[in-house]
Amino acid sequence: MEKKRTSIYENGLIWFGAGVSIAEIITGTYFAPLGFGKGLLAVIIGHIIGCTMLFLAGLIGGRTRKSAMETVKMSFGSKGGIFFSALNVLQLVGWTAIMIYDGALAANGIFSAGRWVWCLVIGGLIILWILIGIKNLGKVNTVAMAALFVLTLILCKIIFFDGSELPISEESMSFGAAVELSVAMPLSWLPLISDYTREAEKPVAATAVSAVVYGVISCWMYAIGMGAAIFTGEYDIAQIMVKASLGIAGLLIVVFSTVTTTFLDAYSAGISGESIFAKLKGKWIAVAAAVIGTAGAIIFPMDDITDFLYLIGSVFAPMIAVQIADHFILKKDSSDKSFDIISCIVWVLGFALYRVLMRVDIPVGNTLPDMAATVIMCVAAKKIFAEKQ
């Protein structure tokens, strides 16, 4: 029996859901001090950089039919890949908790039932999405995405047409830092896009559609958050919905946007977990990730995620840079080794360089220079090493 593959349309829906996110709207509010024009430019530049990397990462998985963390083994070796799988599971559980926390906080601002209650509701729906399964979500996602699309248009109308531009505070963020914060969100999806493109009927087209759809929708979410702060003076998106009398509609935006995005984090935590524990079933690891994330959202405060985003960037930007060098330039596969020592050393150097560049104000952010330098180091080191053998 031929394996069921996902269509280009289904992949587009998956990444539409990933883009419609309360966390991205909240992050967009941080851009308000730049002003709308300058802030939007930073958002667009950052997403062009981040989504280009997202496309290349997804293409590796689509071509090889391997999950994201299995493709990592092609560059770092079978045991080297386990290291990144473990880091990826940790960051995905972290994302699951953050997204549930943000969604519950916003939902409770619209309909006060207790933040912990909304954490349980959202966590429960995420588990339901996991149990339905990525290949059976077509119709469910179509209905959810159509509803989110309409409700988000209403939110845009309230912010951009019913509000008026208010005085903004002096810049507290440089343009380069804003670009980097924009890059950080698509960058956070790098370690999992292949989990979905590997299942696509047409991997190249599906990967391109995934990256473009996510990029456009994510920019839109950033713009909503930035516009909310600039045109209404309100940084709490739940309060905007309350003031606009959106009621149940606003609640639906919050809950389902959180579920459709966070489902991907928990689902990929399961797939990455399979790379570490081959005997465990990914679906149940994903359910465990959702349960732990829900518990974390109830117990811990998670109001500022900027440091978390930068940490993800410093770990995974040089990782995917090594993969890009190996797959597209060197055509090299190290999955038969335990460790690819050169790749591991280059990653450490790339990680250190990222942390150093964070202190330098670069107009295009520090991800692009770091990845370019890491690719060059990887290609040079492996060619020199090959010549000495």
Side-chain angles (χ1 to χ4, degrees):
M1 185 176 178
E2 189 177 344
K3 187 175 182 179
K4 183 181 178 182
R5 299 286 183 186
T6 53
S7 66
I8 293 173
Y9 172 72
E10 286 171 326
N11 278 270
L13 275 183
I14 288 168
W15 289 94
F16 182 101
V20 180
S21 161
I22 294 297
E24 304 212 13
I25 292 175
I26 292 170
T27 305
T29 63
Y30 302 157
F31 289 67
L34 291 173
F36 194 79
K38 196 174 178 180
L40 186 60
L41 180 61
V43 168
I44 291 171
I45 291 172
H47 277 76
I48 289 172
I49 295 169
C51 290
T52 300
M53 304 308 168
L54 192 67
F55 170 74
L56 294 174
L59 196 55
I60 296 173
R63 280 178 167 182
T64 60
R65 297 296 187 189
K66 292 183 177 182
S67 69
M69 289 299 107
E70 288 300 311
T71 66
V72 172
K73 292 178 181 179
M74 294 165 59
S75 287
F76 295 91
S78 58
K79 291 184 179 177
I82 289 175
F83 169 74
F84 288 102
S85 295
L87 291 179
N88 196 37
V89 170
L90 287 174
Q91 73 108 357
L92 289 172
V93 171
W95 264 121
T96 301
I98 289 167
M99 298 298 292
I100 293 173
Y101 178 88
D102 285 343
L105 206 62
N108 198 55
I110 298 169
F111 186 85
S112 182
R115 183 174 61 81
W116 68 273
V117 173
W118 286 113
C119 285
L120 292 174
V121 169
I122 293 169
L125 286 172
I126 291 166
I127 291 171
L128 177 62
W129 248 244
I130 292 168
L131 295 177
I132 291 172
I134 193 74
K135 295 175 187 175
N136 300 313
L137 275 172
K139 291 182 180 179
V140 177
N141 262 355
T142 299
V143 174
M145 294 307 107
L148 288 175
F149 180 71
V150 171
L151 294 172
T152 311
L153 287 177
I154 295 170
L155 190 59
C156 283
K157 191 261 181 187
I158 293 164
I159 292 169
F160 295 107
F161 295 96
D162 295 347
S164 57
E165 188 165 358
L166 301 172
I168 55 176
S169 60
E170 294 182 7
E171 287 188 26
S172 58
M173 178 188 294
S174 69
F175 185 80
V179 169
E180 187 57 30
L181 195 56
S182 178
V183 174
M185 202 62 83
L187 201 68
S188 70
W189 293 107
L190 287 183
L192 57 148
I193 184 172
S194 290
D195 295 344
Y196 308 95
T197 56
R198 67 168 179 164
E199 303 288 357
E201 289 174 351
K202 299 177 180 178
V204 177
T207 304
V209 167
S210 298
V212 170
V213 168
Y214 172 76
V216 170
I217 300 303
S218 181
C219 285
W220 185 14
M221 294 301 106
Y222 271 68
I224 288 175
M226 182 168 52
I230 292 172
F231 293 99
T232 71
E234 182 60 71
Y235 285 73
D236 184 345
I237 202 69
Q239 291 307 307
I240 294 172
M241 295 179 187
V242 169
K243 290 176 183 177
S245 301
L246 280 180
I248 296 298
L251 197 61
L252 286 174
I253 293 176
V254 169
V255 172
F256 280 101
S257 67
T258 304
V259 170
T260 57
T261 304
T262 315
F263 155 75
L264 299 179
D265 293 315
Y267 180 81
S268 281
I271 295 174
S272 294
E274 285 182 334
S275 294
I276 305 170
F277 307 105
K279 293 182 180 179
L280 295 181
K281 196 169 178 63
K283 177 186 286 188
W284 301 114
I285 299 174
V287 169
V291 170
I292 294 168
T294 302
I298 293 172
I299 297 168
F300 301 108
M302 303 176 187
D303 296 298
D304 188 351
I305 64 169
T306 52
D307 288 341
F308 179 69
L309 286 172
Y310 290 140
L311 179 60
I312 289 172
S314 63
V315 170
F316 294 109
M319 182 199 79
I320 194 62
V322 172
Q323 289 186 260
I324 288 169
D326 277 344
H327 185 82
F328 294 103
I329 301 173
L330 298 169
K331 315 292 184 185
K332 188 175 180 296
D333 186 345
S334 297
S335 52
D336 58 338
K337 299 179 181 178
S338 292
F339 292 96
D340 187 309
I341 301 300
I342 296 176
S343 291
C344 293
I345 292 172
V346 169
W347 174 79
V348 170
L349 293 173
F351 175 86
L353 179 61
Y354 188 103
R355 306 304 294 186
V356 170
L357 290 176
M358 282 178 64
R359 303 174 186 177
V360 182
D361 187 19
I362 305 171
V364 294
N366 53 288
T367 293
L368 186 60
D370 178 74
M371 291 186 72
T374 304
V375 168
I376 292 168
M377 284 191 291
C378 186
V379 172
K382 291 191 175 182
K383 285 193 172 181
I384 292 168
F385 182 78
E387 288 173 2
K388 290 183 177 181
Q389 284 184 319

